[in-house]
Amino acid sequence: MTDQDLIQDFQRIVGRRNVLTHESATRPFRLGFRSGEGDALAVVQPGTLLEQWQVVKACVAADKIVIMQAANTGLTEGSTPKGTYDRGVVLINTRRLDGLQLINDGAQVISFPGATLFSLEKLLAPLKRLPHSVIGSTSIGSTVVGGVCNNSGGSLVERGPAYTELALFGQINAEGELELVNHLGIELGDSPEEILTNLQEGRLGEIINDERKASDSNYVELVRDFKADTPSRYNADKNRLYEVSGCGGKLIVFAVRLDTFEDYKSTGTFYVGTKDTTELTKIRHRILGEFETLPVSAEYLHEEAFDIADKYGKDTLILIDKLGTDRLPALFALKGAVDARLAKVPFMGNFTDRFMQFLGRLWPDMLPAKMRDYRAKYPHHLIIKAHDGGIDETRAMLKEMQATGGIEFFECTPREAKLAGLHRFAAAGAGARYMAVHRSEVEDILALDIALRRNDEDWFENLPSEISDHLVHSILYGHFMCHVMHQDYVVKKGSDPKKVKAMMLEIMDQRGAEYPSEHNVGHLYAAKPDLAEFYKSVDPTNSINPGIGKMSRRKNYQ
């Protein structure tokens, strides 16, 4: 079969308009959300689960590499091609497969590969239930299945990484044959065609409720153990690698089955400022060790992250505040399409970033006066969102600590709470915007997500001069209760980012930290032995997303 024959086969299966081959048309899909780009024979967008199966079958028959992609919002290049492969690459984008089906009276959901967290949140709202994640990646259109495949965590203290033992997936076995595995816990038929069609059309047979998990139900006990000498969550944790969960896109996922969660009866947000990081450690220990009700989230923000988000994430805050999250995924998609078209036009690189930065400067200040006051006085900020009984627990603790002079806090109005949360979210992309605007001064940005030991009291990073001399900015923020810190470093022009990163990771190794904690290895990190062996076990011929974890890109891992 020639490549042209294969492309015609794809067109027959999904329709001509859903097979992209021209370089400019495929570039938005081949270009990573933050970095990374590679070549692909075609981008195929199936419209049904059966079409997805048929496309993968055609790829297997033609001995092509398959890379599965949903929203392409990963930060470590894990859902795009990169480098040189020994076989042609077909990128299968699943955004058209956005189905969601509630089961067990809404206590669980079946998600197709293209369904977004935002869509799930919207579907559950009338039932007063919540999905696994409700902040951050929700706003940029990330998918439910993508989170499971990457063991993604998030800001919610009580929920831990996305995890399930109930899934429907395709696997290429050691003999190179494609198999459909129904571990969804639902009777759907026998043949792949019957199973996929019945699921697509909602014709569900017996739903089996057994001991298999649809969420990481032990995480609360894990995160409360703040005296433990190990991190609470990270991608290579072998206890959370199970079939689709943590597979890094090395299985062909058709559906996952996940728990949903009761909504909170009430919430309250507290903004804390301090000059002393030990005061924040006291807060963490008291909440995890003494509180009956853990908070919804507790997000740390350093002063430099505050300032960078204030200037280079302002337009993101404005967009979400004024337009809501409904339209944001479409705007990100439009941004990618415009950037792809202008990429080769002289002086038009990063046009959308520079244009949005200009518009943001014209907009009036959005941040509450109290937040401005705290930024002037304190280098360390903590945003605690409590719920139900935890509201009174948090208020009482903070009043007691404020009386000793170690911290200051204020209780946010709903408007202040929203803006504080959006400001913290904007920090996540502000470093990339800074690089886009100041390209002549910046070599690269290193975006690290680090899982610190749960008992690490010296958690705030002070870099030695041999590293800090290479940096323009250190943007530090993170999920404080679980000690997952996001550390974005803007590297000076002329410095070697790989050398700087190696020095940083050496420090992390000495501290007993794990990395990455929730964005998966992608093409930026080496997979540690447990993770590498897991990848080989689920994809023995190395035909799906080869090269992630800096592993071999060649067939059979040669």
Side-chain angles (χ1 to χ4, degrees):
M1 181 183 290
T2 67
D3 288 349
Q4 190 57 40
D5 289 336
L6 181 61
I7 289 170
Q8 289 176 355
D9 208 9
F10 293 153
Q11 292 172 340
R12 177 186 59 80
I13 295 169
V14 304
R16 184 177 295 272
R17 64 178 297 180
N18 296 310
V19 181
L20 310 177
T21 57
H22 193 276
E23 182 182 3
S24 62
T26 62
R27 189 171 187 268
F29 302 89
R30 296 183 290 105
L31 185 67
F33 183 74
R34 181 175 277 173
S35 63
E37 182 179 4
D39 296 326
L41 172 66
V43 174
V44 186
Q45 298 176 294
T48 67
L49 300 178
L50 182 57
E51 287 181 1
Q52 178 177 315
W53 171 259
Q54 292 169 337
V55 169
V56 176
K57 278 184 67 175
C59 293
V60 173
D63 196 25
K64 301 299 183 186
I65 286 169
V66 174
I67 296 180
M68 301 299 300
Q69 180 191 86
N72 191 19
T73 55
L75 300 182
T76 56
E77 307 176 1
S79 56
T80 52
K82 185 174 183 178
T84 303
Y85 300 89
D86 59 343
R87 295 149 287 168
V89 174
V90 176
L91 202 162
I92 301 177
N93 183 277
T94 63
R95 289 191 303 188
R96 296 176 66 208
L97 302 173
D98 57 357
L100 292 164
Q101 299 174 358
L102 295 177
I103 60 173
N104 293 333
D105 298 321
Q108 290 187 324
V109 65
I110 300 167
S111 174
F112 292 3
T116 65
L117 283 163
F118 175 75
S119 297
L120 178 55
E121 185 178 348
K122 196 171 182 179
L123 178 67
L124 292 173
L127 303 178
K128 299 191 183 302
R129 298 191 70 83
L130 298 171
H132 171 267
S133 179
V134 294
I135 194 173
S137 56
T138 308
S139 301
I140 57 175
S142 296
T143 61
V144 177
V145 166
V148 174
C149 291
N150 291 320
N151 274 162
S152 297
S155 62
L156 301 183
V157 176
E158 298 172 294
R159 295 188 194 161
Y163 179 81
T164 187
E165 297 169 1
L166 299 158
L168 175 66
F169 58 92
Q171 183 173 28
I172 300 174
N173 64 27
E175 288 71 43
E177 300 164 340
L178 179 63
E179 302 174 329
L180 184 67
V181 180
N182 182 9
H183 287 171
L184 202 57
I186 300 173
E187 294 293 338
L188 293 165
D190 298 316
S191 69
E193 293 75 14
E194 186 180 8
I195 291 170
L196 295 169
T197 302
N198 282 338
L199 180 59
Q200 181 85 47
E201 297 180 2
R203 295 195 297 267
L204 309 184
E206 180 187 0
I207 297 174
I208 301 166
N209 297 304
D210 52 25
E211 72 282 355
R212 287 176 293 177
K213 293 183 177 182
S215 62
D216 187 1
S217 56
N218 299 326
Y219 186 70
V220 170
E221 290 76 20
L222 191 74
V223 76
R224 278 190 181 275
D225 188 6
F226 62 87
K227 297 180 181 180
D229 198 35
T230 55
S232 61
R233 57 180 172 93
Y234 54 97
N235 288 133
D237 186 349
K238 61 183 179 182
N239 295 314
R240 297 193 184 95
L241 302 176
Y242 186 93
E243 296 182 342
V244 165
S245 296
C247 75
K250 293 188 76 65
L251 290 170
I252 308 296
V253 183
F254 293 93
V256 295
R257 177 176 162 186
L258 293 167
D259 290 332
T260 67
F261 304 86
E262 282 190 45
D263 198 356
Y264 312 111
K265 294 181 176 63
S266 58
T267 60
T269 300
F270 301 85
Y271 198 99
V272 181
T274 184
K275 297 179 180 179
D276 187 355
T277 58
T278 61
E279 295 296 318
L280 297 186
T281 299
K282 291 176 185 177
I283 290 175
R284 179 171 176 267
H285 288 180
R286 289 191 61 176
I287 288 176
L288 295 179
E290 301 173 12
F291 278 26
E292 183 176 339
T293 305
L294 291 181
V296 176
S297 60
E299 294 294 290
Y300 170 74
L301 194 68
H302 182 241
E303 59 182 349
E304 195 165 0
F306 187 109
D307 293 344
I308 293 293
D310 187 22
K311 187 171 183 180
Y312 297 95
K314 183 180 177 182
D315 60 293
T316 299
L317 184 151
I318 294 167
L319 282 173
I320 301 176
D321 182 55
K322 301 303 179 186
L323 299 181
T325 52
D326 301 57
R327 302 176 187 177
L328 209 59
L331 289 174
F332 273 102
L334 177 62
K335 177 184 183 300
V338 172
D339 284 340
R341 289 184 178 275
L342 297 178
K344 295 184 179 180
V345 179
F347 309 110
M348 294 300 285
N350 300 314
F351 169 77
T352 58
D353 283 294
R354 290 185 284 112
F355 179 68
M356 294 303 295
Q357 185 66 21
F358 172 75
L359 291 182
R361 288 204 307 266
L362 299 179
W363 200 273
D365 185 17
M366 295 286 290
L367 295 185
K370 291 178 184 176
M371 285 179 61
R372 292 278 179 213
D373 179 52
Y374 272 48
R375 168 60 191 94
K377 293 191 290 186
Y378 302 112
H380 304 287
H381 301 242
L382 186 65
I383 307 165
I384 305 173
K385 183 177 181 179
H387 73 92
D388 304 322
I391 299 172
D392 288 338
E393 289 182 292
T394 305
R395 185 184 295 115
M397 175 193 68
L398 294 178
K399 283 183 176 180
E400 177 187 324
M401 294 183 68
Q402 182 169 257
T404 65
I407 67 161
E408 188 177 0
F409 84 97
F410 66 89
E411 193 164 348
C412 298
T413 65
R415 178 64 176 165
E416 290 168 341
K418 180 181 180 181
L419 292 173
L422 290 179
H423 185 63
R424 157 61 187 88
F425 168 67
R433 169 62 61 76
Y434 182 94
M435 182 175 70
V437 174
H438 300 280
R439 197 60 182 143
S440 62
E441 306 166 22
V442 176
E443 189 67 33
D444 201 356
I445 182 170
L446 300 178
L448 308 182
D449 55 307
I450 306 295
L452 301 176
R453 292 178 291 113
R454 283 170 281 171
N455 66 352
D456 191 346
E457 297 189 11
D458 187 23
W459 54 269
F460 181 74
E461 183 171 75
N462 291 293
L463 293 172
S465 59
E466 56 263 32
I467 295 179
S468 61
D469 288 348
H470 293 282
L471 304 178
V472 181
H473 290 291
S474 297
I475 307 169
L476 308 180
Y477 53 97
H479 314 309
F480 194 60
M481 291 297 132
C482 57
H483 256 200
V484 167
M485 305 303 292
H486 294 274
Q487 303 171 177
D488 296 346
Y489 302 98
V490 183
V491 182
K492 290 179 180 178
K493 196 72 174 179
S495 293
D496 185 349
K498 292 183 179 179
K499 183 178 178 181
V500 174
K501 182 177 180 179
M503 289 190 290
M504 288 180 174
L505 295 185
E506 184 178 352
I507 293 174
M508 292 300 120
D509 290 338
Q510 293 169 359
R511 295 179 64 182
E514 291 281 356
Y515 50 84
S517 58
E518 58 184 8
H519 292 156
N520 218 324
V521 290
H523 288 289
L524 298 185
Y525 297 90
K528 294 183 178 179
D530 286 338
L531 186 59
E533 286 306 309
F534 176 68
Y535 285 162
K536 290 181 178 180
S537 72
V538 296
D539 180 24
T541 65
N542 202 23
S543 296
I544 311 174
N545 210 8
I548 60 167
K550 298 188 179 294
M551 297 171 67
S552 170
R553 289 184 172 87
R554 298 180 65 82
K555 193 170 184 177
N556 299 316
Y557 300 93
Q558 295 174 358

